Amino acid sequence: MRQEDLAPPTPRPGPRRRSVFAAAALAGVCLTAAGCADDGPGPGAGPASASAPASPSAGASSVKPPPRGPLSGRTVVIDPGHNPGNRDHTREINSKVDIGTGRKECDTTGTATESGYAEALFTLDVSRRLRALLEERGARVVLTQDDDRPFGPCVDERARIGNEARADAVVSVHADGSATGNRGFHVILPAVVDGSGADTAEIVAPSRELGERIAGNFVRVTGSAPSNYIGGGTGLDTRDDLGGLNLSTVPKVFVECGNMRDPADAALLTSGSWRQKAALGIADGVSSYLKR
């Protein structure tokens, strides 16, 4: 995401946050000892070919039926943040949509490393790795986009795809664009929102549990620390200004895997082997949540 999209909201009363290291105790045992793949597409490389679309909503993409496994019968929607084509469709992505607490741009172009590795390429790569890991465990996986559409989808459609899929869990994959020196990952959770067609009351608690389990496993698998600039060291942040969360009727979180504008974090995010670890940490967190 762009830095301005991720400015911390005004603190509000809410459930007491458990530390990520406490969350790690909840995370459970890794279900698959999947190793790290060789480095995939590097900075500046185009994304891999897209899967054939088969979706519950226009623009969603899924793949062949998964094998039987511990997640059989479960549906996970993966939402790769932004779209490589957004930069060529500024008029369309700047159009405003209802996000439940107001109106906001359809989408953004996302951020990039100093060397030009785009967030949109990062999110697609991690999402495809995550899809493979979850499908190995038997889950049905739907992507909101797989570089198979010219731009978007808009944030309201991203939420709708998860809702229409009746997903057991939705994970939106991102990377931050903050200042140099700001490091680490964080997981964004939905706040209580009620009004203008949005009602998150039923998903706040399960989304928090999903986020805690992802955060704990992300620490364990990647070795990355929670954000030193958002979340007060918990690796968790609650927001009410993101349409993808406000409009969701199923458990959903955003994972900001690191800060693309910090050189040390950027070195991780541009490494294919680290991206595999990031996907595995998220997959283990999702699996732990679904098997609870």
Side-chain angles (χ1 to χ4, degrees):
M1 283 189 171
R2 298 178 302 180
Q3 181 180 358
E4 54 267 34
D5 289 338
L6 290 173
T10 302
R12 59 177 58 81
R16 181 174 63 85
R17 291 174 173 168
R18 283 177 277 184
S19 71
V20 163
F21 303 100
L26 291 172
V29 178
C30 176
L31 300 178
T32 301
C36 295
D38 292 338
D39 281 10
S49 60
S51 301
S55 66
S57 178
S61 298
S62 62
V63 293
K64 61 184 179 182
R68 298 293 298 175
L71 299 185
S72 292
R74 299 294 196 141
T75 296
V76 179
V77 171
I78 303 172
D79 180 24
H82 314 290
N83 180 322
N86 281 0
R87 63 184 180 182
D88 300 319
H89 294 84
T90 55
R91 181 179 61 83
E92 292 90 344
I93 67 170
N94 284 331
S95 64
K96 300 292 181 68
V97 297
D98 187 356
I99 65 165
T101 54
R103 296 183 68 80
K104 201 170 183 179
E105 288 79 8
C106 157
D107 201 0
T108 69
T109 59
T111 188
T113 65
E114 188 67 29
S115 64
Y117 182 42
E119 180 187 0
L121 296 181
F122 170 84
T123 65
L124 274 172
D125 185 75
V126 172
S127 295
R128 288 165 174 164
R129 294 170 188 263
L130 176 57
R131 174 176 60 189
L133 291 166
L134 292 172
E135 286 182 337
E136 286 173 3
R137 302 174 192 193
R140 169 179 174 254
V141 179
V142 176
L143 264 62
T144 61
Q145 60 95 10
D146 198 1
D147 195 26
D148 51 0
R149 52 187 294 161
F151 65 92
C154 295
V155 294
D156 56 340
E157 185 182 352
R158 289 174 186 269
R160 190 162 58 250
I161 290 169
N163 298 344
E164 293 180 356
R166 298 184 179 180
D168 296 290
V170 183
V171 178
S172 190
V173 179
H174 286 269
D176 204 359
S178 189
T180 299
N182 290 343
R183 294 202 59 194
F185 77 94
H186 64 280
V187 181
I188 304 176
L189 313 175
V192 176
V193 172
D194 184 8
S196 189
D199 184 358
T200 61
E202 296 297 321
I203 70 162
V204 166
S207 296
R208 173 169 284 272
E209 183 172 358
L210 172 62
E212 288 176 343
R213 289 175 182 264
I214 289 175
N217 278 285
F218 204 88
V219 169
R220 177 181 59 81
V221 176
T222 68
S224 293
S227 169
N228 63 6
Y229 62 102
I230 290 177
T234 66
L236 304 173
D237 183 39
T238 301
R239 291 181 58 171
D240 66 0
D241 62 329
L242 298 175
L245 296 180
N246 294 348
L247 301 175
S248 182
T249 60
V250 293
K252 182 174 182 177
V253 299
F254 282 43
V255 182
E256 298 285 348
C257 297
N259 177 20
M260 298 195 101
R261 306 303 296 174
D262 176 79
D265 268 12
L268 300 176
L269 299 169
T270 54
S271 164
S273 59
W274 188 89
R275 293 194 298 272
Q276 182 70 17
K277 291 180 182 179
L280 180 58
I282 297 171
D284 284 355
V286 171
S287 297
S288 173
Y289 169 78
L290 294 179
K291 290 175 62 64
R292 71 198 190 286

